[in-house]
Structure formats: structure tokens, C-alpha cells
Amino acid sequence: MNRVSVPSANAVFVKTLLVASLALSSVAGAAEAQRPAVKPDAAKGATLYDSGDTARGLPACLSCHGANGNSTMAANPKLSNQIEAYTHKQLVDFTTPQRVNPVMTTYAKMLTDEEKRNVAAYLAIQKTKQGAAKSKDTVELGRKIYRGGIAEKGVAACASCHGAAAGGIPIQYPRLAGQHQDYTTAQLVAFRTGARSNSPQMTTLAQRLSDAEMKAVADYIAGLR
């Protein structure tokens, strides 16, 4: 009798991740090819970030994301020192059905592509204020998930894409280090429910994490630097 070999959850996930990564690489390559010859102007990005544009009814970004991108509100992400190409991509995604947010969708649609790039360039060179883990009871679980994943559930280590210190990988994967716990958890939930659909890998991963696991890894990430 022939035996049927059933691939493990990890093998299936690795294959899925590889396919998605190749797709992202193609997208990144296309985005790179379409990048305008004019270099983004971080100084103009700073002015728009700090002051907005009253003529268009565009508020200052710092009103929600804090001075230099260091948000003090747990529901709003820290944007300082974020990978430039990633920030630009998210601003573009907010204008599509892949990432809908009542506030950001409205303002992202008001920005030209040049302005999106300028703001992203400004934020990329800002220093991030250090965050901290809050729960001693879950920090070890968060560390294990971030560094080693959950093999039995087919969850890859977060570090495999976001780096050992959560510094991210240009274009493809964002910096996570020091991010607010509430924001990271909210994004994981959004990926799981489909409310956010601009990352196939994260949708797959989030669907395999429990609420407790999400909160643990988000808390651990907040303390990375």
C-alpha cells in the first residue's frame, strides 16, 4: 500500500511565505523602477509633517503621530526611523481598498505622491524614543514567538522577516522595535479579520495566533531597540 506524505504545517507555511516573498520582491522591483528621478525632499516633508496644509484642510501629522514621529498615543503608531519605502507604501495603500482607515484614507488621498515620499524621507531620519515591555508574565512567551515562532501552529519567527532587533528589511518588512503595544496588537487583529489586507504573509500568520499570543509578542516588540 502506498503511503501518502502529508507536509507539516511549517513546510506549508514556509512554501507560502516563499511564494509571497517572491511576489513582494517583484512588486518592490517594480516600485523601484517607477521611482521618480527627483530625490525626496526631507525638509519639505518636515514642513508638511509639522504644519500640514490649512489651504487644503490637511492637519499636521504630528497632531496624531507626535513630534518627530514619536507618538505618545498608544492607538497611533510611532513613525520615527521607519523604513522610507515602507512608509511611502503604506500611504499609497491607504488610498486603496487594501488598507482602509477613516482618518488616514482621507488624508492620504489629499497628498501627492511627491508629498508622500517627502514625508516618508523625513520620518526615516528621525530618532525613535525607546519603548518598554509592560508585562513580566508574558514577556518570555513574546520572546519565544518573536525569535522562534510556534512550530506546531505553523507560525514563523517574527525575527525571520523583521530582524533580530526588529529593525525591519527595506521595502518589504517594517521596523517594529519600540512600537506601542496597543497599535501592534490592533494591526495583528486587523490582519486576522481581513480589515487590513496589504500583506499576505501577515494575514496568514495572524490567523494562527490567539489573542494572548498577539498581546505577548506585541509587548515584547515594544521593548526592543
Side-chain angles (χ1 to χ4, degrees):
M1 182 174 64
N2 293 329
R3 294 184 178 181
V4 178
S5 177
V6 180
S8 67
N10 272 348
V12 172
F13 178 76
V14 169
K15 183 177 180 180
T16 301
L17 183 62
L18 178 60
V19 171
S21 295
L22 288 172
L24 267 182
S25 296
S26 297
V27 171
E32 196 69 26
Q34 294 174 5
R35 178 167 293 186
V38 178
K39 184 178 180 180
D41 190 325
K44 288 183 178 179
T47 298
L48 192 58
Y49 185 90
D50 291 340
S51 304
D53 186 344
T54 54
R56 287 184 287 170
L58 184 69
C61 308
L62 67 75
S63 61
C64 288
H65 294 286
N68 307 113
N70 283 293
S71 167
T72 58
M73 294 182 276
N76 298 332
K78 294 180 182 179
L79 303 176
S80 53
N81 200 24
Q82 186 55 269
I83 295 169
E84 183 178 334
Y86 179 80
T87 299
H88 172 259
K89 180 182 183 299
Q90 298 313 299
L91 287 171
V92 172
D93 285 354
F94 276 124
T95 68
T96 74
Q98 289 189 310
R99 191 171 185 189
V100 177
N101 177 284
V103 176
M104 286 306 304
T105 294
T106 298
Y107 297 141
K109 287 181 177 180
M110 297 171 70
L111 295 171
T112 65
D113 191 65
E114 181 181 355
E115 289 171 333
K116 289 180 175 70
R117 293 183 186 279
N118 290 344
V119 170
Y122 164 70
L123 289 168
I125 57 176
Q126 304 310 302
K127 292 184 178 180
T128 299
K129 290 185 178 180
Q130 177 61 30
K134 297 178 181 178
S135 176
K136 294 180 180 180
D137 296 331
T138 66
V139 69
E140 182 57 21
L141 172 61
R143 186 191 71 79
K144 287 181 178 179
I145 295 172
Y146 188 87
R147 296 190 175 281
I150 309 174
E152 62 272 22
K153 296 174 74 171
V155 175
C158 309
S160 62
C161 289
H162 295 283
I169 298 175
I171 300 178
Q172 294 189 42
Y173 305 111
R175 171 186 172 85
L176 301 178
Q179 189 57 266
H180 294 305
Q181 289 94 330
D182 289 355
Y183 178 76
T184 300
T185 300
Q187 296 312 297
L188 287 170
V189 171
F191 279 123
R192 182 171 66 188
T193 63
R196 179 176 174 180
S197 59
N198 64 341
S199 172
Q201 304 99 310
M202 287 308 304
T203 295
T204 299
L205 284 168
Q207 290 173 346
R208 297 174 181 177
L209 292 171
S210 67
D211 289 347
E213 289 164 344
M214 287 182 179
K215 290 180 180 179
V217 75
D219 191 49
Y220 177 75
I221 285 170
L224 293 176
R225 63 178 71 188

PDB file of all heavy atoms in Angstrom, residues 142-160:
ATOM      1  N   GLY A 142       6.321  36.135  24.564  1.00  0.00           N
ATOM      2  CA  GLY A 142       6.526  37.050  23.448  1.00  0.00           C
ATOM      3  C   GLY A 142       7.884  36.859  22.811  1.00  0.00           C
ATOM      4  O   GLY A 142       8.023  36.883  21.581  1.00  0.00           O
ATOM      5  N   ARG A 143       8.890  36.686  23.643  1.00  0.00           N
ATOM      6  CA  ARG A 143      10.259  36.474  23.142  1.00  0.00           C
ATOM      7  C   ARG A 143      10.335  35.192  22.319  1.00  0.00           C
ATOM      8  O   ARG A 143      10.935  35.170  21.227  1.00  0.00           O
ATOM      9  CB  ARG A 143      11.247  36.387  24.310  1.00  0.00           C
ATOM     10  CG  ARG A 143      12.713  36.315  23.877  1.00  0.00           C
ATOM     11  CD  ARG A 143      13.625  35.957  25.035  1.00  0.00           C
ATOM     12  NE  ARG A 143      13.431  34.563  25.418  1.00  0.00           N
ATOM     13  CZ  ARG A 143      13.953  33.515  24.771  1.00  0.00           C
ATOM     14  NH1 ARG A 143      14.709  33.701  23.698  1.00  0.00           N
ATOM     15  NH2 ARG A 143      13.738  32.286  25.187  1.00  0.00           N
ATOM     16  N   LYS A 144       9.719  34.127  22.805  1.00  0.00           N
ATOM     17  CA  LYS A 144       9.758  32.848  22.100  1.00  0.00           C
ATOM     18  C   LYS A 144       9.077  32.940  20.744  1.00  0.00           C
ATOM     19  O   LYS A 144       9.571  32.401  19.747  1.00  0.00           O
ATOM     20  CB  LYS A 144       9.094  31.760  22.954  1.00  0.00           C
ATOM     21  CG  LYS A 144       9.923  31.316  24.150  1.00  0.00           C
ATOM     22  CD  LYS A 144       9.214  30.230  24.936  1.00  0.00           C
ATOM     23  CE  LYS A 144      10.072  29.746  26.102  1.00  0.00           C
ATOM     24  NZ  LYS A 144       9.381  28.692  26.897  1.00  0.00           N
ATOM     25  N   ILE A 145       7.925  33.616  20.702  1.00  0.00           N
ATOM     26  CA  ILE A 145       7.205  33.757  19.434  1.00  0.00           C
ATOM     27  C   ILE A 145       8.008  34.610  18.462  1.00  0.00           C
ATOM     28  O   ILE A 145       8.157  34.267  17.287  1.00  0.00           O
ATOM     29  CB  ILE A 145       5.812  34.385  19.655  1.00  0.00           C
ATOM     30  CG1 ILE A 145       4.938  33.448  20.479  1.00  0.00           C
ATOM     31  CG2 ILE A 145       5.138  34.700  18.316  1.00  0.00           C
ATOM     32  CD1 ILE A 145       3.621  34.062  20.906  1.00  0.00           C
ATOM     33  N   TYR A 146       8.545  35.731  18.969  1.00  0.00           N
ATOM     34  CA  TYR A 146       9.287  36.630  18.088  1.00  0.00           C
ATOM     35  C   TYR A 146      10.535  35.958  17.529  1.00  0.00           C
ATOM     36  O   TYR A 146      10.828  36.063  16.333  1.00  0.00           O
ATOM     37  CB  TYR A 146       9.673  37.925  18.809  1.00  0.00           C
ATOM     38  CG  TYR A 146      10.261  38.928  17.852  1.00  0.00           C
ATOM     39  CD1 TYR A 146       9.444  39.799  17.145  1.00  0.00           C
ATOM     40  CD2 TYR A 146      11.633  38.959  17.586  1.00  0.00           C
ATOM     41  CE1 TYR A 146       9.955  40.673  16.206  1.00  0.00           C
ATOM     42  CE2 TYR A 146      12.165  39.826  16.654  1.00  0.00           C
ATOM     43  CZ  TYR A 146      11.324  40.683  15.961  1.00  0.00           C
ATOM     44  OH  TYR A 146      11.841  41.537  15.024  1.00  0.00           O
ATOM     45  N   ARG A 147      11.249  35.254  18.374  1.00  0.00           N
ATOM     46  CA  ARG A 147      12.527  34.684  17.949  1.00  0.00           C
ATOM     47  C   ARG A 147      12.416  33.276  17.365  1.00  0.00           C
ATOM     48  O   ARG A 147      13.238  32.892  16.520  1.00  0.00           O
ATOM     49  CB  ARG A 147      13.511  34.686  19.122  1.00  0.00           C
ATOM     50  CG  ARG A 147      13.854  36.081  19.594  1.00  0.00           C
ATOM     51  CD  ARG A 147      14.998  36.092  20.580  1.00  0.00           C
ATOM     52  NE  ARG A 147      15.383  37.450  20.933  1.00  0.00           N
ATOM     53  CZ  ARG A 147      16.122  38.243  20.181  1.00  0.00           C
ATOM     54  NH1 ARG A 147      16.582  37.806  19.027  1.00  0.00           N
ATOM     55  NH2 ARG A 147      16.420  39.474  20.575  1.00  0.00           N
ATOM     56  N   GLY A 148      11.426  32.514  17.803  1.00  0.00           N
ATOM     57  CA  GLY A 148      11.342  31.128  17.346  1.00  0.00           C
ATOM     58  C   GLY A 148      10.045  30.711  16.702  1.00  0.00           C
ATOM     59  O   GLY A 148       9.947  29.604  16.171  1.00  0.00           O
ATOM     60  N   GLY A 149       9.038  31.569  16.743  1.00  0.00           N
ATOM     61  CA  GLY A 149       7.746  31.228  16.175  1.00  0.00           C
ATOM     62  C   GLY A 149       7.017  30.196  17.019  1.00  0.00           C
ATOM     63  O   GLY A 149       7.365  29.947  18.180  1.00  0.00           O
ATOM     64  N   ILE A 150       6.004  29.570  16.430  1.00  0.00           N
ATOM     65  CA  ILE A 150       5.255  28.498  17.098  1.00  0.00           C
ATOM     66  C   ILE A 150       5.154  27.360  16.087  1.00  0.00           C
ATOM     67  O   ILE A 150       4.261  27.345  15.233  1.00  0.00           O
ATOM     68  CB  ILE A 150       3.842  28.959  17.528  1.00  0.00           C
ATOM     69  CG1 ILE A 150       3.910  30.271  18.321  1.00  0.00           C
ATOM     70  CG2 ILE A 150       3.155  27.877  18.362  1.00  0.00           C
ATOM     71  CD1 ILE A 150       2.542  30.861  18.645  1.00  0.00           C
ATOM     72  N   ALA A 151       6.075  26.430  16.175  1.00  0.00           N
ATOM     73  CA  ALA A 151       6.195  25.368  15.167  1.00  0.00           C
ATOM     74  C   ALA A 151       4.917  24.577  14.987  1.00  0.00           C
ATOM     75  O   ALA A 151       4.496  24.288  13.859  1.00  0.00           O
ATOM     76  CB  ALA A 151       7.342  24.434  15.545  1.00  0.00           C
ATOM     77  N   GLU A 152       4.261  24.220  16.089  1.00  0.00           N
ATOM     78  CA  GLU A 152       3.077  23.369  15.995  1.00  0.00           C
ATOM     79  C   GLU A 152       1.878  24.057  15.343  1.00  0.00           C
ATOM     80  O   GLU A 152       0.932  23.408  14.905  1.00  0.00           O
ATOM     81  CB  GLU A 152       2.669  22.845  17.380  1.00  0.00           C
ATOM     82  CG  GLU A 152       2.276  23.908  18.390  1.00  0.00           C
ATOM     83  CD  GLU A 152       3.458  24.446  19.180  1.00  0.00           C
ATOM     84  OE1 GLU A 152       4.590  24.314  18.685  1.00  0.00           O
ATOM     85  OE2 GLU A 152       3.236  24.975  20.285  1.00  0.00           O
ATOM     86  N   LYS A 153       1.931  25.383  15.250  1.00  0.00           N
ATOM     87  CA  LYS A 153       0.841  26.134  14.626  1.00  0.00           C
ATOM     88  C   LYS A 153       1.249  26.702  13.261  1.00  0.00           C
ATOM     89  O   LYS A 153       0.477  27.402  12.615  1.00  0.00           O
ATOM     90  CB  LYS A 153       0.381  27.269  15.549  1.00  0.00           C
ATOM     91  CG  LYS A 153      -0.219  26.776  16.845  1.00  0.00           C
ATOM     92  CD  LYS A 153      -0.530  27.920  17.812  1.00  0.00           C
ATOM     93  CE  LYS A 153      -1.736  28.710  17.377  1.00  0.00           C
ATOM     94  NZ  LYS A 153      -2.146  29.686  18.432  1.00  0.00           N
ATOM     95  N   GLY A 154       2.478  26.390  12.846  1.00  0.00           N
ATOM     96  CA  GLY A 154       2.948  26.892  11.561  1.00  0.00           C
ATOM     97  C   GLY A 154       3.210  28.389  11.565  1.00  0.00           C
ATOM     98  O   GLY A 154       3.099  29.046  10.537  1.00  0.00           O
ATOM     99  N   VAL A 155       3.565  28.929  12.729  1.00  0.00           N
ATOM    100  CA  VAL A 155       3.852  30.360  12.847  1.00  0.00           C
ATOM    101  C   VAL A 155       5.362  30.568  12.794  1.00  0.00           C
ATOM    102  O   VAL A 155       6.097  30.070  13.658  1.00  0.00           O
ATOM    103  CB  VAL A 155       3.304  30.946  14.168  1.00  0.00           C
ATOM    104  CG1 VAL A 155       3.730  32.406  14.324  1.00  0.00           C
ATOM    105  CG2 VAL A 155       1.788  30.834  14.200  1.00  0.00           C
ATOM    106  N   ALA A 156       5.831  31.249  11.775  1.00  0.00           N
ATOM    107  CA  ALA A 156       7.261  31.516  11.624  1.00  0.00           C
ATOM    108  C   ALA A 156       7.719  32.566  12.636  1.00  0.00           C
ATOM    109  O   ALA A 156       6.921  33.374  13.114  1.00  0.00           O
ATOM    110  CB  ALA A 156       7.547  32.003  10.209  1.00  0.00           C
ATOM    111  N   ALA A 157       8.994  32.557  12.958  1.00  0.00           N
ATOM    112  CA  ALA A 157       9.561  33.556  13.867  1.00  0.00           C
ATOM    113  C   ALA A 157       9.435  34.946  13.250  1.00  0.00           C
ATOM    114  O   ALA A 157       9.761  35.143  12.076  1.00  0.00           O
ATOM    115  CB  ALA A 157      11.026  33.237  14.131  1.00  0.00           C
ATOM    116  N   CYS A 158       8.964  35.902  14.027  1.00  0.00           N
ATOM    117  CA  CYS A 158       8.846  37.280  13.545  1.00  0.00           C
ATOM    118  C   CYS A 158      10.217  37.794  13.096  1.00  0.00           C
ATOM    119  O   CYS A 158      10.327  38.554  12.128  1.00  0.00           O
ATOM    120  CB  CYS A 158       8.304  38.188  14.640  1.00  0.00           C
ATOM    121  SG  CYS A 158       6.799  37.594  15.440  1.00  0.00           S
ATOM    122  N   ALA A 159      11.257  37.363  13.818  1.00  0.00           N
ATOM    123  CA  ALA A 159      12.622  37.815  13.523  1.00  0.00           C
ATOM    124  C   ALA A 159      13.085  37.415  12.134  1.00  0.00           C
ATOM    125  O   ALA A 159      13.963  38.063  11.562  1.00  0.00           O
ATOM    126  CB  ALA A 159      13.584  37.257  14.574  1.00  0.00           C
ATOM    127  N   SER A 160      12.499  36.359  11.576  1.00  0.00           N
ATOM    128  CA  SER A 160      12.931  35.899  10.257  1.00  0.00           C
ATOM    129  C   SER A 160      12.639  36.924   9.170  1.00  0.00           C
ATOM    130  O   SER A 160      13.284  36.918   8.120  1.00  0.00           O
ATOM    131  CB  SER A 160      12.254  34.570   9.910  1.00  0.00           C
ATOM    132  OG  SER A 160      10.842  34.704   9.838  1.00  0.00           O
TER     133      SER A 160
END
